[in-house]
């Protein structure tokens, strides 16, 4: 049983964690426990009541000054209730003041997982050990209801949360802030691990202590963003990959988000997470509901690797819907860094011919095939094939590529519009421009108003027309700017605060329609690389282009940060040319291959311009990737060193769930005149079995699992800058 309800106490159990809340004698829903699996003890005995002065007392407490929500751990704290800390809800229920006060109303439980209206959410089948708890709170005065949803995934140590607000009053309600989840911890000594960055440098890892005050992460860009990722970890001070308590919080949302962690006056920590409230307001009419996106929480008592495995397993089995999650992904070549906008069918077919000869599976045609699009100044929105530029129809090109034994994929940027486009000339009001003002441009382009149904219909019609015109099996869905002044001509002035969220609902609507119509499509998410690498997008696309930075060494850090929450099979990674186009660095071809194999593997260079030696290496890399494919896609992933802390080398490993097979990769990031021996310890093997170990396909020796995990393996001395090696261990039959 995942959910146990007794005496107004709700205890949620997963295999290794428990979560508890309680309705107290004032009707407040208080949070009492989240941590290592426990029994159903009422943990509210740990809450110390005292008159702390200057903390508000709710009406139910009358003169009981020791009762204040200002220090009470709560499930869903609300602004205006005498609690002055970061909160989940700010709403005006009609008085003109944000003064909601919530008390318990009712609850229900059921087998299976709740779904959310128009938003991504984790799912379960009837065979899964998953249960739902729905607790309803009500405003102390008005018929305003808050439904708190909890999905308990017992076998995954994951609990999801979402919120539905329901207006049963007879007037409109104004929301100005709605967070999806709150977690209260009764100590403050936590580190926050978060993932910050910028374009081409996404998901850098930083670990900082919480302090008395508020630690805040936010994307105000209308996308989950390159700058911050909607995934954070709270970890015990001494927690590392293998030990210590840690909690993860992942928001299933692709728009702007807000995360705050506050250490309060009584040294408790509170974390809240939800959609970006900086420019948010929402008019909730009488009788209507508002659904806030889902948060996926996980707890590990055994350090960060276990926490990541919880997320990887849960996302692979209960978030990613694509058929491709279980199928071998094609090794592709993408023409972006090979040709940029300068291509025609002849050039593409030369690349395809080589791809086919070298054992690749797919050609992806990137930006520039439509409208007038020879640079990034024009053409977006005109999704009509430029046959003059290609020299043939799309169908002819695709048929030829298919004839070589390759699949075909294509790039779109459906949410955008160029001012120099037929679409803009016909529908200037479809672009987000505040009337009477000059637009804020990004990459010289404007954003389509995806909140509008006519825009959504146009985008669908164009996507479907291109998809139906040829045998296209993959689509790269790109988005190349942040949203500035979010404006919709369809909404009244006072409702413009709804635009950013409605934009994301519009995006999800079109993605859903696309996948309903083409259920076999392999959709790759992208936003100028990894600007929208979030769990919301994974509901639609089983892989996401991780970064526009294809330098193997910088990718070590980017992919390291990405791996904390997201399964490596979602991380799209390509081998590109040297000097690298983003930073000019030169790395060995072999290293570029090993780094790209950390994720979903492919190439992004002109295969027809390679030396024979390089072609030979491509052949071998493709072979290796395909040979170990199941290990890479379905194995447990271990970060063996951190590229943030270890400047000599970075190592990572995949181990099959049964422990019988593993692949350990190492990239050297520094050279020394007189190097000290370096030893790396394997993880996830079977202690008592003997393994045959190969290094770069050559036998190294036979060792027990114990030896490899406790002793480790000696690394070779690097022979050149950014040298690398790949070990493979397999039990002897
Ligand atoms: C940004 C993407 O991340 C690149 O891979 C490429 O598709 C360009 N956009 C094309 O404009």
């Amino acid at each position: 049983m995942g959910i146990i309800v007794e005496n107004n106490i709700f205890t949620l159990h997963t295999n290794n964690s428990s979560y508890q809340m309680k309705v107290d004698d004032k009707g407040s829903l208080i949070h009492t426990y989240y941590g290592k699996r426990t029994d159903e003890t009422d943990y509210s005995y740990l809450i110390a009541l005292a008159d702390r002065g200057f903390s508000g007392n709710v009406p139910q407490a009358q003169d009981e000054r020791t009762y204040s929500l200002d220090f009470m751990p709560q499930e869903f704290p609300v602004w205006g209730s005498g609690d002055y800390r970061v909160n989940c809800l700010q709403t005006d229920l009609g008085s003109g003041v944000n003064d909601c006060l919530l008390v318990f109303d009712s609850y229900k439980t059921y087998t299976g997982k709740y779904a959310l209206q128009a938003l991504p959410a984790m799912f379960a089948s009837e065979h899964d050990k998953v249960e739902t708890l729905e607790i309803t709170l009500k405003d102390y005065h008005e018929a305003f209801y808050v439904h708190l949803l909890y999905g308990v995934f017992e076998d995954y140590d994951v609990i999801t949360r979402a919120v539905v607000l329901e207006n049963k009053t007879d007037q409109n309600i104004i929301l100005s802030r709605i967070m999806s989840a709150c977690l209260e911890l009764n100590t403050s000594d936590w580190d926050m691990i978060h993932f910050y960055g910028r374009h081409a440098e996404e998901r850098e890892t930083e670990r900082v202590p919480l302090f008395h005050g508020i630690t805040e992460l936010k994307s105000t860009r209308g996308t989950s963003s390159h700058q911050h990722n909607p995934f954070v970890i709270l970890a015990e001070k001494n927690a590392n990959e293998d030990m210590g308590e840690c909690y993860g919080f992942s928001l299933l949302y692709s728009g702007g988000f807000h995360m705050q962690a506050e250490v309060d006056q009584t040294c408790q920590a509170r974390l809240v997470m939800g959609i970006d409230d900086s420019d948010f307001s929402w008019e909730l009419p009488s009788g209507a509901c508002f659904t806030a996106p889902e948060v996926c929480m996980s707890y590990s008592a055994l350090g960060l690797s276990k926490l990541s495995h919880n997320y990887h397993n849960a996302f692979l089995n209960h978030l990613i819907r694509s058929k491709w999650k279980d199928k071998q992904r094609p090794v592709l070549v993408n023409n972006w860094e090979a040709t940029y906008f300068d291509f025609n069918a002849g050039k593409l077919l030369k690349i395809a011919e080589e791809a086919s000869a070298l054992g690749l599976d797919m050609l992806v045609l990137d930006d520039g095939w439509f409208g007038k699009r020879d640079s990034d100044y024009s053409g977006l929105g005109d999704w009509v094939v430029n046959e003059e530029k290609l020299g043939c129809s799309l169908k002819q090109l695709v048929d030829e590529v298919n004839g070589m034994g390759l699949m075909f994929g294509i790039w779109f940027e459906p949410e955008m519009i160029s001012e120099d486009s037929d679409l803009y000339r016909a529908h200037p009001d479809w672009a987000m421009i505040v009337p009477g003002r000059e637009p804020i441009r990004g990459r010289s382009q404007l954003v389509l108003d995806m909140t509008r149904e006519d825009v959504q219909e146009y985008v669908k019609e164009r996507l479907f027309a291109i998809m139906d015109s040829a045998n296209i099996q993959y689509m790269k869905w790109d988005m190349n700017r942040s949203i500035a002044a979010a404006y919709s001509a369809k909404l009244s002035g006072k409702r413009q605060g709804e635009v950013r969220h409605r934009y994301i609902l519009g995006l999800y609507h079109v993605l859903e329609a696309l996948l309903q119509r083409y259920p076999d499509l392999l959709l790759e998410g992208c936003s100028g690389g990894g600007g929208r690498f979030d769990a919301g997008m994974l509901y639609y696309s089983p892989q996401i282009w991780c970064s526009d930075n294809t330098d193997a060494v910088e990718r070590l850090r980017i992919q390291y940060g990405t791996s904390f929450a997201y399964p490596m099979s979602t991380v799209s990674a390509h081998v590109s040319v040297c000097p690298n186009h983003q930073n000019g660095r030169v790395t060995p071809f072999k290293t570029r291959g090993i780094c790209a194999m950390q994720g979903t593997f492919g190439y992004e260079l002109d295969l027809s311009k390679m030396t024979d030696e390089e072609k030979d290496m491509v052949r071998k890399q493709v072979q290796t990737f395909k040979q170990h494919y199941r290990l890479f896609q379905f194995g447990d992933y271990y970060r063996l060193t951190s590229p943030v802390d270890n400047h000599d080398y970075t190592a990572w490993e995949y181990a099959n769930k049964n422990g019988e097979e593993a692949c350990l990769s190492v990239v050297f990031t520094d050279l020394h005149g007189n190097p000290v021996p370096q030893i790396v310890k394997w993880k996830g093997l079977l202690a008592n079995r003997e393994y045959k170990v190969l290094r770069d396909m050559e036998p190294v020796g036979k060792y027990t699992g114990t030896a490899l995990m406790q002793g480790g393996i000696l690394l070779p001395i690097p022979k050149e800058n950014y040298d690398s090696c790949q070990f493979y261990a397999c039990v002897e039959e």
Side-chain angles (χ1 to χ4, degrees):
M1 277 282 279
I3 300 174
I4 295 174
V5 185
E6 272 170 6
N7 305 324
N8 282 338
I9 297 167
F10 304 88
T11 309
L12 317 181
H13 292 301
T14 70
N15 290 350
N16 301 293
S17 72
S18 297
Y19 186 98
Q20 193 188 69
M21 54 211 136
K22 176 182 180 177
V23 182
D24 70 10
D25 61 350
K26 310 292 180 298
S28 307
L29 183 65
I30 58 173
H31 175 83
T32 49
Y33 183 85
Y34 188 24
K36 197 168 177 172
R37 172 128 189 179
T38 179
D39 51 28
E40 286 84 50
T41 298
D42 173 359
Y43 278 102
S44 65
Y45 73 86
L46 293 171
I47 299 171
L49 299 183
D51 180 356
R52 301 210 175 267
F54 294 88
S55 289
N57 308 116
V58 291
Q60 311 92 290
Q62 296 184 339
D63 272 340
E64 205 181 310
R65 292 193 191 170
T66 56
Y67 188 91
S68 173
L69 295 182
D70 202 17
F71 49 79
M72 198 58 99
Q74 294 160 74
E75 279 302 301
F76 197 71
V78 173
W79 174 248
S81 62
D83 178 351
Y84 298 91
R85 297 169 290 174
V86 294
N87 59 74
C88 285
L89 182 68
Q90 291 181 13
T91 179
D92 169 7
L93 301 179
S95 64
V97 174
N98 290 333
D99 64 346
C100 180
L101 172 62
L102 296 175
V103 288
F104 176 77
D105 179 77
S106 57
Y107 81 91
K108 62 182 174 194
T109 60
Y110 48 89
T111 309
K113 169 70 182 15
Y114 63 84
L116 296 181
Q117 177 80 33
L119 282 168
M122 294 185 57
F123 56 83
S125 79
E126 60 201 35
H127 310 294
D128 296 313
K129 269 165 59 190
V130 178
E131 287 172 57
T132 292
L133 166 67
E134 181 178 332
I135 299 182
T136 298
L137 308 176
K138 181 190 166 297
D139 179 61
Y140 194 59
H141 299 281
E142 305 290 340
F144 172 68
Y145 293 83
V146 173
H147 305 282
L148 301 180
L149 300 164
Y150 298 82
V152 183
F153 289 76
E154 274 189 76
D155 290 341
Y156 293 85
D157 292 330
V158 150
I159 295 174
T160 63
R161 293 190 58 176
V163 183
V164 178
L165 307 178
E166 189 179 9
N167 179 4
K168 288 191 179 174
T169 72
D170 51 16
Q171 52 189 329
N172 292 355
I173 282 175
I174 305 298
L175 309 172
S176 44
R177 171 178 166 107
I178 163 74
M179 296 289 118
S180 300
C182 170
L183 180 71
E184 307 265 24
L185 296 165
N186 56 14
T187 53
S188 61
D189 214 12
W190 298 93
D191 282 343
M192 176 180 290
I193 302 174
H194 69 106
F195 307 93
Y196 69 98
R198 56 193 181 277
H199 175 238
E201 304 281 355
E202 300 88 339
R203 290 172 295 288
E204 299 275 354
T205 309
E206 186 171 60
R207 184 168 180 156
V208 289
L210 296 189
F211 58 90
H212 281 91
I214 300 169
T215 308
E216 184 170 55
L217 304 173
K218 198 175 205 189
S219 161
T220 55
R221 296 169 177 268
T223 58
S224 48
S225 89
H226 303 84
Q227 285 71 13
H228 296 288
N229 194 264
F231 175 70
V232 287
I233 296 170
L234 290 184
E236 252 184 329
K237 289 281 170 211
N238 63 348
N240 60 26
E241 289 289 346
D242 303 309
M243 57 165 272
E245 289 196 284
C246 39
Y247 300 86
F249 308 88
S250 169
L251 183 69
L252 279 64
Y253 191 63
S254 310
F257 73 94
H258 198 176
M259 192 289 310
Q260 292 173 305
E262 176 168 4
V263 175
D264 71 10
Q265 57 177 336
T266 60
C267 299
Q268 303 177 105
R270 168 182 284 179
L271 184 143
V272 296
M273 194 177 206
I275 58 181
D276 173 27
D277 55 337
S278 42
D279 204 7
F280 174 83
S281 71
W282 194 276
E283 191 176 288
L284 190 64
S286 170
C289 288
F290 179 92
T291 304
E294 183 161 282
V295 169
C296 177
M297 306 189 299
S298 185
Y299 166 81
S300 158
L302 299 173
L304 297 164
S305 291
K306 174 74 170 76
L307 188 75
S308 292
H309 292 170
N310 292 349
Y311 276 102
H312 293 183
N313 294 332
F315 285 172
L316 282 175
N317 291 299
H318 295 283
L319 172 65
I320 301 172
R321 295 175 299 167
S322 170
K323 288 183 181 170
W324 285 95
K325 77 173 167 193
D326 300 321
K327 287 198 344 198
Q328 182 154 338
R329 311 279 171 80
V331 177
L332 62 85
V333 58
N334 176 304
N335 75 308
W336 179 240
E337 285 200 20
T339 66
Y340 295 103
F341 292 104
D342 181 17
F343 60 82
N344 55 26
K347 258 196 196 179
L348 296 169
L349 288 171
K350 264 198 193 156
I351 296 176
E353 244 169 63
E354 282 299 343
S356 165
L358 296 174
L360 278 74
D361 307 305
M362 180 158 74
L363 173 77
V364 174
L365 172 54
D366 211 280
D367 195 354
W369 54 266
F370 52 91
K372 189 184 119 205
R373 182 77 173 166
D374 289 324
S375 76
D376 53 14
Y377 286 91
S378 62
L380 290 172
D382 294 346
W383 302 109
V384 176
V385 180
N386 186 341
E387 295 190 358
E388 204 183 306
K389 174 172 178 175
L390 272 186
C392 63
S393 71
L394 187 63
K395 180 166 171 29
Q396 282 165 330
L397 174 67
V398 176
D399 286 349
E400 286 223 37
V401 170
N402 288 167
M404 295 173 189
L406 295 179
M407 297 156 69
F408 185 87
I410 198 162
W411 178 98
F412 277 97
E413 194 177 356
E415 301 153 66
M416 295 293 142
I417 179 165
S418 303
E419 284 158 281
D420 184 2
S421 70
D422 292 341
L423 185 67
Y424 185 76
R425 284 181 279 277
H427 298 285
D429 58 323
W430 284 10
M432 284 199 190
I433 304 178
V434 182
R437 302 186 73 96
E438 275 288 300
I440 307 290
R441 297 179 183 87
R443 204 192 187 197
S444 304
Q445 64 198 46
L446 304 181
V447 184
L448 269 179
D449 179 359
M450 294 292 288
T451 72
R452 293 174 65 134
E453 270 179 39
D454 47 4
V455 171
Q456 294 165 13
E457 287 311 307
Y458 169 80
V459 171
K460 281 192 265 177
E461 189 277 320
R462 285 290 82 214
L463 293 181
F464 296 172
I466 299 291
M467 287 294 294
D468 290 344
S469 72
N471 182 25
I472 299 170
Q473 285 165 295
Y474 157 112
M475 183 190 291
K476 179 174 169 188
W477 182 298
D478 204 349
M479 198 283 194
N480 283 305
R481 59 160 292 178
S482 303
I483 298 177
Y487 174 82
S488 173
K490 285 279 186 195
L491 288 171
S492 66
K494 64 183 173 86
R495 293 186 62 193
Q496 294 298 325
E498 299 178 18
V499 172
R500 287 163 189 272
H501 182 56
R502 286 188 185 277
Y503 177 96
I504 295 298
L505 296 178
L507 165 69
Y508 288 154
H509 165 78
V510 177
L511 287 169
E512 190 65 44
L514 177 71
L515 294 171
Q516 291 297 332
R517 189 172 161 115
Y518 306 101
D520 296 330
L521 179 70
L522 172 53
L523 186 67
E524 174 156 321
C526 178
S527 177
R532 215 159 49 181
F533 206 124
D534 55 68
M537 282 310 288
L538 290 183
Y539 187 65
Y540 304 95
S541 55
Q543 58 191 56
I544 300 177
W545 181 227
C546 185
S547 176
D548 271 349
N549 190 337
T550 58
D551 170 53
V553 177
E554 295 218 85
R555 275 288 186 127
L556 292 174
R557 284 197 324 273
I558 298 169
Q559 291 171 186
Y560 171 81
T562 309
S563 76
F564 280 87
Y566 307 108
M568 297 314 283
S569 64
T570 67
V571 175
S572 186
H574 298 167
V575 175
S576 63
V577 290
C578 277
N580 178 267
H581 286 191
Q582 288 77 43
N583 63 10
R585 196 199 312 260
V586 175
T587 51
F589 200 88
K590 174 184 170 195
T591 299
R592 284 176 261 158
I594 287 181
C595 287
M597 275 183 224
Q598 201 177 7
T600 291
F601 184 60
Y603 292 83
E604 185 146 340
L605 41 74
D606 192 340
L607 293 169
S608 68
K609 290 189 181 148
M610 299 179 85
T611 63
D612 287 346
E613 197 193 340
E614 284 172 331
K615 284 183 192 168
D616 201 43
M617 281 194 273
V618 172
R619 217 173 269 116
K620 287 196 181 119
Q621 286 172 349
V622 174
Q623 229 172 11
T624 306
F625 185 70
K626 289 188 175 178
Q627 188 185 343
H628 300 310
Y629 184 77
R630 295 196 70 77
L631 183 55
F632 293 154
Q633 183 159 352
F634 304 110
D636 284 336
Y637 181 79
Y638 293 97
R639 295 171 292 268
L640 300 180
T641 64
S642 153
V644 182
D645 302 330
N646 183 334
H647 298 286
D648 284 337
Y649 64 92
T650 298
W652 64 95
E653 182 196 328
Y654 289 92
N656 260 3
K657 296 228 183 282
N658 65 16
E660 291 182 352
E661 204 191 0
C663 178
L664 188 160
S665 302
V666 182
V667 173
F668 296 95
T669 44
D670 205 357
L671 294 173
H672 300 282
N674 189 357
V676 295
Q678 301 282 10
I679 292 170
V680 177
K681 294 180 182 176
W682 297 64
K683 291 186 179 173
L685 304 182
L686 301 168
N688 300 324
R689 298 297 294 273
E690 190 172 60
Y691 290 81
K692 184 174 160 193
V693 179
L694 308 177
R695 191 179 85 214
D696 297 330
M697 316 290 244
E698 299 297 325
V700 174
K702 290 181 182 174
Y703 308 91
T704 61
T706 304
L708 291 171
M709 292 191 290
Q710 289 170 209
I713 197 108
L714 196 56
L715 299 185
I717 292 171
K719 300 255 179 319
E720 58 177 328
N721 241 345
Y722 310 116
D723 205 354
S724 57
C725 61
Q726 204 166 41
F727 292 92
Y728 174 71
C730 185
V731 289
E732 289 272 70
E733 288 310 317

